Amino acid sequence: MKRFLVLDSFRGLCAVALIVHHSHIEQSFTELTFFRNASQFVGFFFALSGFLIYRRYIGNLTTPRQLGEFMITRTCRVVPLHVAVLLFFIGFECLKLVMERYGLSLNYPAFSGDRAPSEILPNLLLIQAWWPTFNALSFNYPAWFISVEFYLWMIFAVILFSLPGLARKLFSLLCVLAFIALYKDFNLIPRNVLWGASCFFAGAITYRLYVRLHDSVPGPVFATVLEVAVLAAIYGVMTEGEQPLTIELGLLFCVAVLIFSYEAGLVSRLLRIRLFPTLGKLWLSIYLTHAAVIFVLATVITIAAKFSGLSLLVDRPGETSGTMVRYLSTGTALNDNLLLLFVVIAVVVVSMFTHRYIEAPGVRFGKHWKHGTQLRRRKDDPPPEQV
């Protein structure tokens, strides 16, 4: 089955953009409008996931065994790394408790606010983004995407298994209804869930378009024009569009998935350079670990500022009225951007380790579990699927 290397590269770059988005370094690239709105790239993750999941499983979820294997594969794809990072945050809160007993306190008391003990179980069950009384951004806040994505996978699988003849129509209906609910600000379902559902099922529809247009591959020049045009449109909406941007960008991300799936233009050729597919391979580890790396760095700087008396932290008003955001600041734009570069490199390095020792073993375990080959040697493992 063809691997969409360029789409993988695109996903890796989106994950890097989210590192920049969440870094909050005062005089750095993090404050450009494009990166301040980079959280919207999660919509691309949803759209590409719908595209790839539909491609992989359409017609292949017809028996209870296949349904069970799907659930095992999807669970082992994201849960080990998610739980590992969650345990890191819980462990850090325990460390804060010890520090507080010795009179050293950080910004907030241990196990308070978005890291209250009541939020642990919803995170373990990946339901934190689905119920309004839970805090979707608790503990490892990027994991809200995994919460939404995981159960969208389950909904997809159950529909495809139980109603195979109606599945395509139901996926289209769910996509349309989710987009309408977003447009109408329907508040009985969390907005992030609606966003995820609309982009995910739109991605599934995009794959159907890809199949129909598969024989109409554009030439290199026209493909390059299309690639540049869709990237320019995405950039324009993210820098000039009015909030919220979810509907417009959701549709543009699907167009981008369709155009870059052909891998026919100059931009696609650039995205096949080794660095970019490597980032694509690490995208999930980058996404799930970047908040933890940024948190550790911010904590170290906070402690350094308290003991040294240096002004390394600046509080600025947040986008939501009445909120404050703490920025890291070295005092100069050059040093702030060097600090940002250090953060990005640190996240990628950490992600290389988490991918090798947590994410990839989890995927292998899932494959062995569904085939009953848990004792199989690592060198015999098949290559990973692109999902």
Side-chain angles (χ1 to χ4, degrees):
M1 187 175 284
K2 175 186 175 182
R3 187 176 187 90
F4 295 97
L5 199 62
V6 172
L7 291 177
D8 252 1
S9 298
F10 204 120
R11 185 158 55 178
L13 288 173
C14 290
V16 171
L18 284 164
I19 303 174
V20 179
H21 169 75
H22 286 130
S23 290
H24 297 304
I25 302 176
E26 188 181 27
Q27 298 182 62
S28 70
F29 288 109
T30 66
E31 300 315 293
L32 296 177
T33 302
F34 177 81
F35 289 113
R36 288 274 47 86
N37 288 329
S39 61
Q40 302 291 324
F41 280 129
V42 177
F44 178 80
F45 296 160
F46 281 122
L48 182 55
S49 177
F51 181 90
L52 295 175
I53 290 289
Y54 187 90
R55 170 197 186 227
R56 171 66 181 82
Y57 290 102
I58 190 68
N60 294 317
L61 280 177
T62 58
T63 67
R65 178 182 177 85
Q66 289 176 329
L67 179 63
E69 290 178 350
F70 174 91
M71 293 183 175
I72 289 171
T73 301
R74 295 295 91 209
T75 299
C76 292
R77 177 70 181 98
V78 297
V79 169
L81 183 56
H82 163 67
V83 171
V85 181
L86 175 61
L87 290 175
F88 164 81
F89 277 101
I90 293 173
F92 193 88
E93 293 302 302
C94 293
L95 177 61
K96 284 172 67 176
L97 276 178
V98 175
M99 294 168 64
E100 288 169 3
R101 289 184 179 181
Y102 288 93
L104 180 59
S105 61
L106 299 179
N107 297 330
Y108 303 101
F111 290 108
S112 65
D114 58 6
R115 295 189 186 130
S118 59
E119 299 293 340
I120 294 176
L121 185 58
N123 274 270
L124 281 174
L125 298 177
L126 283 173
I127 58 175
Q128 71 270 29
W130 287 84
W131 197 253
T133 57
F134 300 139
N135 186 344
L137 304 181
S138 54
F139 287 97
N140 185 27
Y141 52 85
W144 74 263
F145 160 73
I146 303 300
S147 170
V148 175
E149 177 87 331
F150 182 79
Y151 289 103
L152 286 176
W153 287 338
M154 299 303 122
I155 292 169
F156 169 89
V158 169
I159 291 175
L160 195 56
F161 170 74
S162 58
L163 298 167
L166 295 175
R168 291 176 174 84
K169 293 180 180 178
L170 288 175
F171 295 154
S172 299
L173 179 62
L174 287 172
C175 173
V176 171
L177 290 177
F179 272 120
I180 291 174
L182 278 176
Y183 180 74
K184 295 292 186 180
D185 288 326
F186 183 73
N187 56 14
L188 294 181
I189 299 175
R191 185 174 181 86
N192 284 341
V193 173
L194 294 173
W195 183 25
S198 60
C199 292
F200 178 87
F201 290 112
I205 295 171
T206 302
Y207 182 74
R208 292 166 59 186
L209 288 174
Y210 168 80
V211 171
R212 292 188 179 186
L213 299 174
H214 184 64
D215 295 330
S216 303
V217 179
V221 176
F222 185 50
T224 300
V225 171
L226 291 175
E227 290 173 354
V228 171
V230 73
L231 291 179
I234 290 171
Y235 179 84
V237 171
M238 289 183 63
T239 55
E240 302 295 338
E242 296 182 2
Q243 298 284 353
L245 308 172
T246 48
I247 297 175
E248 302 95 312
L249 283 174
L251 296 174
L252 280 173
F253 287 146
C254 289
V255 174
V257 168
L258 180 62
I259 291 173
F260 282 99
S261 65
Y262 293 109
E263 302 182 343
L266 180 59
V267 179
S268 289
R269 185 178 300 178
L270 293 173
L271 289 176
R272 295 180 70 90
I273 295 174
R274 185 174 180 180
L275 170 65
F276 301 119
T278 299
L279 292 175
K281 181 180 178 181
L282 298 175
W283 82 270
L284 183 63
S285 282
I286 291 173
Y287 180 78
L288 281 179
T289 64
H290 77 273
V293 175
I294 293 170
F295 176 71
V296 169
L297 176 62
T299 300
V300 169
I301 291 179
T302 299
I303 294 173
K306 284 188 176 183
F307 282 99
S308 68
L310 297 175
S311 179
L312 301 174
L313 302 168
V314 178
D315 289 329
R316 302 288 188 197
E319 295 178 1
T320 304
S321 177
T323 63
M324 299 294 291
V325 176
R326 176 152 290 183
Y327 285 81
L328 306 181
S329 176
T330 64
T332 69
L334 175 60
N335 288 336
D336 278 1
N337 280 297
L338 289 174
L339 178 59
L340 175 61
L341 178 62
F342 173 78
V343 171
V344 172
I345 293 173
V347 172
V348 172
V349 170
V350 169
S351 298
M352 292 170 66
F353 284 95
T354 57
H355 175 81
R356 181 172 181 178
Y357 295 109
I358 301 175
E359 183 185 346
V363 173
R364 288 197 298 270
F365 178 78
K367 290 180 178 179
H368 295 323
W369 181 7
K370 68 183 183 181
H371 295 304
T373 57
Q374 287 89 337
L375 299 180
R376 192 175 188 173
R377 292 176 298 170
R378 179 178 174 181
K379 67 179 183 179
D380 298 325
D381 289 334
E385 299 173 356
Q386 184 195 22
V387 287

